[in-house]
Amino acid sequence: MNDRYLSVDQVAELLGTTARFPRRLIEERRIRYVKVGRHVRIPASAVAEFIESHTVEPVRLRRAGLRRVA
């Protein structure tokens, strides 16, 4: 319960986007959020989970597998 709750603008700044992007995530139910009266707050852990689940790891290619066969 010691989670920090962020506003839409704070999440947008954290992600380096406009406020429209976190609002779309909320509308599409792609991120957890909390309604406090008429205000929407996003737990910092939800932002971390979103980033973790959308992180793409690099793929290592073997150099021998890239040869063309004529």
Side-chain angles (χ1 to χ4, degrees), residues 30-52:
R30 294 172 52 198
I31 194 167
R32 287 185 298 118
Y33 66 95
V34 177
K35 293 270 302 199
V36 182
R38 65 181 203 156
H39 302 283
V40 174
R41 296 294 181 251
I42 303 169
S45 61
V47 177
E49 288 170 11
F50 178 80
I51 292 170
E52 181 67 30

Side-chain angles (χ1 to χ4, degrees), residues 4-63:
R4 183 166 177 233
Y5 293 92
L6 307 170
S7 69
V8 170
D9 291 331
Q10 290 172 320
V11 172
E13 185 176 333
L14 185 66
L15 295 175
T17 65
T18 63
R20 186 176 180 178
F21 180 67
R23 284 192 184 110
R24 193 175 85 219
L25 294 177
I26 291 166
E27 181 182 340
E28 295 173 357
R29 304 283 199 266
R30 294 172 52 198
I31 194 167
R32 287 185 298 118
Y33 66 95
V34 177
K35 293 270 302 199
V36 182
R38 65 181 203 156
H39 302 283
V40 174
R41 296 294 181 251
I42 303 169
S45 61
V47 177
E49 288 170 11
F50 178 80
I51 292 170
E52 181 67 30
S53 68
H54 288 82
T55 299
V56 179
E57 296 295 330
V59 177
R60 294 271 186 197
L61 297 176
R62 292 186 345 200
R63 205 153 182 78

